[in-house]
Amino acid sequence: MRVMAQLAMVMNLDKCIGCHTCSVTCKQTWTNRGGVEYAWFNNVETKPGQGYPRRYEDQGRWRGGWTLRHGRLVPAAGGRVRRLLSLFANPGMPHLDDYYQPWTYDYRTLTDAPLGDDTPVARPVSAVTGAPAEVTWGPNWEDSLGGAPEHAAADPVVQRLGREVRFEYEQAFMFYLPRICEHCLNPSCVASCPSGAMYKRSEDGIVLVDQDRCRGWRMCVSGCPYKKVYFNHKTGKAEKCTFCYPRLEVGQPTVCAETCVGRLRYIGVLLYDADRVGEAASTKDEQRLYQAQLGVFLDPHDPAVVREAQRAGIPHDWITAARRSPVHELICRHRVALPLHPEYRTMPMVWYVPPLSPVVDALAGTGFDGEDSGNLFGAIDTLRIPLDYLAGLFTAGDPEPVRMALRRLAAMRSHMRAVNLGEPPDPAGPARVGMDAGSVEAMYRLLAVAKYEDRYVIPTAAVGDAHDLEGIATTCAVGGDGGAADGSTDLFVWRDGERPAGLFPTLRREAP
């Protein structure tokens, strides 16, 4: 057992109202400059929809993430030889139009136009080239199903459901899906980087880009199956979500979480066994990848885990934070949070609580009590589209974990309605989903009424080392066969070849 710690995020999709406040604040903080006009480290998609960039989930085209070849993990884009041959002409990389052509307006026409009988018009111009542009797509083009049914049918997950449900889908289900970099345990973007500029920090698991080492090959863009790495065409460097690490290092949540109107984001520490990551990601059956990743996470209340964590140099504050982690509660204890597209085999660390509200609304529309647990359980099992679609998003098509998560959310709603109305709760409801009244109420306190300090449990042991953390030399250089660049299987490569005893080593990067 090799215990490591990672900061992770859970988003409760039941509470997202699609206001895009998280996207705007992230944009203003991280990408409000030239070269990344089109880049949104945080974006909110409407599902069903093609997403951003368009059809990023179609790995048959983009070939992102990992695949199994003779039982070994290899980048889906190919090995070292294939990547070398496509270094200067990469067909698996999205074009600007796949994202969208960022535009502004020719406001000078309005301010400088001479007097006349005609009303001047500020026409759109490209924010990249300055030439007149035709607005045909945008990052929120499908917002609130605004583009359906014309565009929703092109959603890769919808296409896998079959033609008989494709055109009815928009009337049956809709929800918002906020997305950031997944900061994966097994990041394929890091494995794809020829220069070793992409790395995963050992102290908190955040995946970053060393701007000094980056040579602009853009292999990381094609290697990421979530398409959350962007190319700055002015600096010639790759950029991505940093998980707001300067804020986290002083105990503050990410900007997107801090400004979230719906209070749907949770940040906490997860302890995991680094020696089991490769084995879990190599699980042959895609529909078992969710359970395999759950098996990687460790119980911070287990004395044996605590001893190994202390031996690995994880500070006491991080172990304490892992015990109070809302992320651990939602993922490992209550089992209501699920990973996004585990079939990419990157072991994502941003998980989602699937939405239940549309199920309740659909049931209430038939004249039945939409909050009764018996009715809700039946609705979850009989509604044709949502369960299959959610399974396609979160469990590689396996409906059982999604069904159980939704049933637990339904049991919580039914139980808490009885409590709030002063009625005796039915103990059979929680018992049918393997819970009791205490665990249901604990889940309710976390999902519905959690305070700030309960939603963001971020260790502050690094406050005094915040400056030194920027120089951590934990470059993650994963090789094309799933191992490190030196042929080992250790994900973290250290400058001196030895794994340091402390979690916050004062090492500096070697010159590129």
Side-chain angles (χ1 to χ4, degrees):
M1 181 190 302
R2 182 158 60 94
V3 181
M4 299 193 75
Q6 165 128 5
L7 285 166
M9 180 181 289
V10 168
M11 302 190 205
N12 183 3
L13 298 184
D14 240 355
K15 302 173 76 174
C16 183
I17 62 175
C19 67
H20 301 278
T21 302
C22 53
S23 299
V24 173
T25 52
C26 176
K27 184 73 172 176
Q28 290 298 317
T29 303
W30 294 104
T31 60
N32 61 345
R33 53 202 150 71
V36 283
E37 297 91 347
Y38 74 100
W40 295 81
F41 291 173
N42 182 111
N43 71 290
V44 181
E45 301 169 359
T46 296
K47 289 296 184 178
Q50 299 183 51
Y52 161 80
R54 267 187 276 193
R55 295 178 55 81
Y56 72 91
E57 295 162 298
D58 183 4
Q59 301 310 322
R61 175 185 179 188
W62 302 119
R63 300 176 63 85
W66 300 89
T67 187
L68 281 180
R69 184 177 302 166
H70 306 298
R72 299 185 64 186
L73 280 175
V74 296
R80 297 175 180 175
V81 175
R82 180 183 178 89
R83 282 181 287 155
L84 179 62
L85 293 176
S86 60
L87 197 60
F88 298 102
N90 185 359
M93 186 175 66
H95 298 283
L96 184 60
D97 289 340
D98 291 315
Y99 296 95
Y100 75 107
Q101 179 75 240
W103 75 89
T104 182
Y105 294 94
D106 183 15
Y107 294 108
R108 188 178 296 275
T109 301
L110 299 180
T111 58
D112 297 347
L115 293 176
D117 296 332
D118 298 329
T119 301
V121 176
R123 299 189 180 279
V125 295
S126 171
V128 177
T129 65
E134 183 180 354
V135 180
T136 59
W137 194 259
N140 300 319
W141 201 261
E142 304 165 303
D143 194 54
S144 301
L145 291 178
E150 179 182 359
H151 299 295
D155 182 338
V157 180
V158 172
Q159 291 179 337
R160 289 195 292 268
L161 293 179
R163 181 178 296 275
E164 65 275 9
V165 298
R166 187 177 303 170
F167 302 107
E168 302 173 5
Y169 198 86
E170 60 160 316
Q171 301 173 4
F173 202 74
M174 185 203 81
F175 64 95
Y176 300 106
L177 181 70
R179 290 203 307 121
I180 64 172
C181 169
E182 297 287 334
H183 297 280
C184 308
L185 292 181
N186 185 37
S188 55
C189 60
V190 173
S192 302
C193 179
S195 60
M198 300 281 295
Y199 67 101
K200 184 176 178 66
R201 302 205 311 182
S202 68
E203 69 272 15
D204 52 21
I206 297 175
V207 177
L208 297 174
V209 183
D210 186 333
Q211 295 290 294
D212 293 331
R213 288 190 174 186
C214 181
R215 296 296 179 261
W217 296 117
R218 287 171 278 186
M219 287 300 187
C220 53
V221 177
S222 56
C224 173
Y226 304 97
K227 293 298 173 280
K228 278 298 177 182
V229 185
Y230 305 92
F231 179 68
N232 186 317
H233 60 84
K234 287 193 174 181
T235 65
K237 307 289 186 179
E239 299 187 19
K240 62 179 293 297
C241 162
T242 67
F243 214 62
C244 292
Y245 72 90
R247 294 175 56 89
L248 294 175
E249 288 168 0
V250 293
Q252 297 178 353
T254 62
V255 169
C256 60
E258 181 79 77
T259 59
C260 176
V261 174
R263 300 182 179 181
L264 60 95
R265 302 187 186 225
Y266 301 80
I267 299 176
V269 176
L270 282 174
L271 301 180
Y272 68 97
D273 186 354
D275 289 335
R276 300 182 61 185
V277 171
E279 177 186 355
S282 302
T283 301
K284 186 175 181 180
D285 185 358
E286 289 184 346
Q287 294 190 356
R288 299 294 301 172
L289 285 167
Y290 160 66
Q291 289 83 358
Q293 186 168 356
L294 280 180
V296 172
F297 300 141
L298 301 173
D299 183 3
H301 301 281
D302 186 343
V305 172
V306 173
R307 286 195 300 270
E308 289 297 324
Q310 292 172 340
R311 186 176 293 113
I314 298 178
H316 176 73
D317 284 357
W318 280 70
I319 299 175
T320 302
R323 290 173 171 171
R324 296 183 49 239
S325 172
V327 172
H328 180 269
E329 290 290 297
L330 295 172
I331 292 176
C332 300
R333 179 187 174 191
H334 301 307
R335 300 286 180 95
V336 293
L338 304 169
L340 181 64
H341 289 300
E343 68 271 20
Y344 298 161
R345 302 182 182 275
T346 60
M347 311 290 280
M349 293 299 283
V350 176
W351 289 41
Y352 296 87
V353 178
L356 183 62
S357 291
V359 180
V360 175
D361 295 340
L363 182 60
T366 64
F368 291 93
D369 185 353
E371 299 288 352
D372 181 81
S373 62
N375 293 339
L376 276 174
F377 288 170
I380 292 169
D381 290 334
T382 57
L383 283 178
R384 302 185 306 278
I385 303 169
L387 192 62
D388 293 341
Y389 187 82
L390 293 174
L393 279 176
F394 301 123
T395 54
D398 182 10
E400 291 306 318
V402 181
R403 179 181 289 113
M404 179 54 68
L406 293 177
R407 285 166 65 93
R408 289 192 168 191
L409 294 173
M412 178 191 72
R413 291 192 177 192
S414 179
H415 177 88
M416 294 310 302
R417 186 184 69 160
V419 171
N420 292 331
L421 294 179
E423 301 174 353
D426 181 8
R432 290 171 64 183
V433 291
M435 304 179 74
D436 54 28
S439 59
V440 165
E441 292 175 10
M443 185 169 69
Y444 169 77
R445 286 192 296 269
L446 187 57
L447 287 176
V449 295
K451 296 181 179 180
Y452 186 94
E453 58 271 17
D454 296 325
R455 287 184 286 125
Y456 311 131
V457 181
I458 304 169
T460 57
V463 173
D465 301 315
H467 178 72
D468 290 339
L469 286 178
E470 297 182 4
I472 291 295
T474 55
T475 302
C476 181
V478 183
D481 294 329
D486 60 359
S488 69
T489 58
D490 195 343
L491 185 66
F492 297 90
V493 180
W494 307 91
R495 189 185 65 177
D496 55 4
E498 298 293 334
R499 189 165 176 266
L503 190 63
F504 302 110
T506 55
L507 298 178
R508 295 293 181 182
R509 291 188 182 282
E510 291 182 319

